[in-house]
Amino acid sequence: KQEVTQIPAALSVPEGENLVLNCSFTDSAIYNLQWFRQDPGKGLTSLLLIQSSQREQTSGRLNASLDKSSGRSTLYIAASQPGDSATYLCAVKKGAQKLVFGQGTRLTINP
Amino acid sequence: KAGVTQTPRYLIKTRGQQVTLSCSPISGHRSVSWYQQTPGQGLQFLFEYFSETQRNKGNFPGRFSGRQFSNSRSEMNVSTLELGDSALYLCASSLVGAGTDTQYFGPGTRLTVL
């Protein structure tokens, strides 16, 4: 059974810092991995999707990497801003459309 | 292009009642998935529909059911509500095919069972 773990559960940093969020998964036979952000009481916003054949994806200040063999992904956020405060979730997909989610990292950027 | 829409946004029901939630996917998306989000269990997969057929189902009791219409809109139904069914219910739509796996989520329906 696929399990996804995100560490840390919560992170608070001052504005302007670069930071890394971690995601690990137990079954390396994944189809892809997706990072989302969720604002309080809202739905999920897709940030980046990495196919199993890829090593990383970039969008603006965000960079996500994937090491399938070790079952790890990282989301790097450069020059953090207060608007980046949210819960960040990673999810892996194996085969069909079912996503298995981690519990998320609650990120707070302090002005 | 309009995003995924879910109605209603909020619902309050009492134990034993049933409820129907609706999800309209992004135009052209034929796959719709449903998830339950609770503080204790996080996000858990309920089921996925594609072309009016249920393709995958999570580990939820039979009280949870769904369907998809020919226009790809989907509904989920929960019968005999229990207090533990209080959650944010999210649906997601996606194209199906190589390189088109991104799932786009709606804002969710917040269900409170009293």
Side-chain angles (χ1 to χ4, degrees), chain B residues 11-20 63-64 77-83 85 111-114:
Chain B
L11 267 178
I12 299 176
K13 293 286 187 179
T14 57
R15 279 183 298 173
Q17 287 187 310
Q18 74 165 18
V19 67
T20 299
R63 300 185 297 108
F64 292 81
N77 183 275
V78 188
S79 63
T80 319
L81 285 166
E82 301 177 358
L83 295 178
D85 297 333
L111 171 64
T112 301
V113 182
L114 303 175

Side-chain angles (χ1 to χ4, degrees), chain A residues 31-32 34 36 38 41-46 49 51 89 93 96-103, chain B residues 31 33 35 37 40-43 45 48 55-56 88 90 94 99 101-103 105-107 110:
Chain A
Y31 189 69
N32 62 43
Q34 199 166 350
F36 298 88
Q38 185 175 32
K42 303 289 180 63
L44 276 63
T45 300
S46 177
L49 181 145
Q51 300 289 356
L89 295 142
K93 185 175 109 167
Q97 294 299 313
K98 171 184 176 180
L99 293 178
V100 178
F101 284 86
Q103 292 284 58
Chain B
S31 170
S33 301
Y35 293 83
Q37 186 176 31
Q41 299 297 318
L43 274 151
F45 173 78
E48 183 237 349
R55 291 204 301 184
N56 291 287
L88 181 66
L90 295 162
S94 65
D101 296 316
T102 300
Q103 293 207 16
F105 281 77
R110 172 78 61 185

Side-chain angles (χ1 to χ4, degrees), chain A:
Chain A
K1 178 188 169 187
Q2 178 73 271
E3 293 184 0
V4 180
T5 303
Q6 291 186 247
I7 295 173
L11 181 64
S12 180
V13 301
E15 181 178 2
E17 280 202 4
N18 303 324
L19 57 98
V20 174
L21 306 181
N22 297 294
C23 171
S24 62
F25 45 94
T26 55
D27 184 351
S28 62
I30 63 170
Y31 189 69
N32 62 43
L33 183 145
Q34 199 166 350
W35 282 93
F36 298 88
R37 72 172 274 169
Q38 185 175 32
D39 294 286
K42 303 289 180 63
L44 276 63
T45 300
S46 177
L47 297 173
L48 289 164
L49 181 145
I50 312 176
Q51 300 289 356
S52 63
S53 58
Q54 298 174 320
R55 295 300 299 270
E56 65 178 327
Q57 283 285 343
T58 298
S59 176
R61 295 182 294 108
L62 305 180
N63 175 277
S65 68
L66 174 64
D67 183 343
K68 211 172 63 162
S69 61
S70 67
R72 293 181 188 175
S73 176
T74 62
L75 178 66
Y76 175 82
I77 303 177
S80 58
Q81 303 170 357
D84 294 331
S85 297
T87 296
Y88 289 80
L89 295 142
C90 73
V92 298
K93 185 175 109 167
K94 180 173 180 174
Q97 294 299 313
K98 171 184 176 180
L99 293 178
V100 178
F101 284 86
Q103 292 284 58
T105 293
R106 189 172 66 255
L107 176 64
T108 303
I109 308 298
N110 301 304

Side-chain angles (χ1 to χ4, degrees), chain B residues 1-13:
Chain B
K1 206 179 237 189
V4 178
T5 59
Q6 292 188 245
T7 57
R9 293 294 312 280
Y10 302 92
L11 267 178
I12 299 176
K13 293 286 187 179

